[in-house]
Amino acid sequence: MAQVSLRSRTVGPWAGFERKIIAAGPHVGWVRFSGQRRFNLRKSPFIPADTERTYHLPDDVELYDEELVELDVGQPLRRIGSLEKRTSMAKEFEEHYLVESVRRLTAEMPRPYLDRDDFLARLVDNWRDGESDHLDKALALQMLSCPRTPMGPGGIGTQSFDLSGRSKALDHLRKTVGVHLPVEFSRPNGRFELAFLSAREDLTALRNRIASGRVEEASYNYLKMVDPSHHPLPQHVPTILYNAHYVPRSTLPDPDILEYQLYGLLLRPVVSEEMIVRIESTMNDILEESDPAYAGYNVPFDQDALAKIAMALCRLDQKDRLTEDMLDQSRSWFKDMYRQFADLRMHYSRPGGSTRIGPEVSTSYAHLSLGPHDSEVLREIHRGVNEVGLDYVSYAGLKKALRPKKVTATQVRDSLQRLISNGLIVSRENDNLFRPVRRFAR
């Protein structure tokens, strides 16, 4: 299966924003610190930094990781790494620059070549009737992902259901996603990865990477039914093959799809406090609203599915702020996709095998996997908000309050991450302020 390597490209395919940064000159790019007041630049946030050029900050200039900047620099100092054999010619060398001034670039990056509808259509170009199964929507959400929100980690989770009766349908689905993905995104990656989960070991490894913060955004697709004893990561949308039929027209990577995905992953839409409250008001009853007869029916779609889908839709529509319109669209998409899942529920069998499930399986809609100190941390957050009257409880305050109970700072932080992931608390200010999810009366 042919895949593009972002790191190995020499003549493209380049996204529009990459072409602009490359053309801007050698001292323009995204900051990546390599030491104290020492950093490198990279031409795309998705590739390693150029270590042949190292920049040194004077004491009166401040920069932060991932800022897009243009630098004015002095003459380079060259450090020779090695010499050509039997010569005094440098074979490898580094250039070191003292930064004289910094301009932060905020100009809008070039938009992708495709528009929204073309992108969705191209995703299922190899699938006849893919749109009728909402396959275009499911693939777009997984590939565009979503950044970390106050409600939890980044990424979109899905369960694939093969109800088509066609041979190797799930293999073809995996191949479709794989050919669209850069090779770096189909393996463990600190920025974004999309994983297919077929075994318990796959799930355990990914869950550990998310919990330890080794990946910013992780989308994942269960190719076998989730066994609830495996403590699955939450799912946000179903991916259903029913009408869709695989008819390959091209097995080569589409550079326009790659450009659209890279541009989308650049965006980190802002979520206001007002929107958090709006999301919370629908978190507890979205499944019942979608289909009261089948709410909670076996598959644990996560409580923050609406927020996740809305953030992915911001990227699809190339917006940098979560709005009510995005939230309304996410509700519509979820209802469409969940309704199809509910209508086809009688075809499913048992977990751990093919993607079919029967009524003997019981998994919780709001599946919780809490650790030994999570209840204590959650109780302290509730006490601070409901008894003391704080708007948010600080991480420093939690550590102090739980120290007499011999709960360490690391244990507090681990508990907070689990409580966020399970939809019980929301965070602000880079995970330093917390409050419980507001429960709304029906």
Side-chain angles (χ1 to χ4, degrees), residues 8-29:
S8 301
R9 290 174 298 170
T10 56
V11 293
W14 306 107
F17 70 86
E18 292 176 311
R19 290 193 295 270
K20 180 174 180 178
I21 299 303
I22 291 171
H27 307 306
V28 176

Side-chain angles (χ1 to χ4, degrees), residues 6 9 11-25 28 30 43-46 68 105 107-114 254-266 318:
L6 299 178
R9 290 174 298 170
V11 293
W14 306 107
F17 70 86
E18 292 176 311
R19 290 193 295 270
K20 180 174 180 178
I21 299 303
I22 291 171
V28 176
W30 279 268
K43 295 297 184 179
S44 167
F46 310 109
L68 178 59
L105 302 183
E108 183 175 329
M109 292 289 101
R111 298 294 177 112
Y113 170 74
L114 297 180
D254 186 331
D256 297 327
I257 287 180
L258 174 63
E259 177 185 43
Y260 207 101
Q261 182 190 31
L262 293 182
Y263 185 91
L265 291 174
L266 273 181
Q318 300 166 15

Side-chain angles (χ1 to χ4, degrees), residues 152-225:
I156 299 283
T158 186
Q159 170 77 65
S160 288
F161 300 96
D162 174 18
L163 306 173
S164 67
R166 298 184 176 91
S167 175
K168 298 184 177 180
L170 289 177
D171 291 338
H172 291 146
L173 175 65
R174 183 170 186 164
K175 181 179 180 180
T176 295
V177 175
V179 78
H180 289 324
L181 279 183
V183 65
E184 288 85 355
F185 293 168
S186 55
R187 59 184 59 166
N189 184 292
R191 177 64 178 80
F192 167 73
E193 60 183 86
L194 200 166
F196 287 91
L197 307 177
S198 299
R200 183 171 188 166
E201 294 74 22
D202 301 333
L203 169 60
T204 300
L206 179 60
R207 187 171 57 227
N208 289 341
R209 289 200 298 279
I210 293 173
S212 63
R214 283 177 284 161
V215 53
E216 289 184 45
E217 301 179 27
S219 290
Y220 43 90
N221 188 319
Y222 292 100
L223 289 179
K224 290 190 175 181
M225 265 315 304

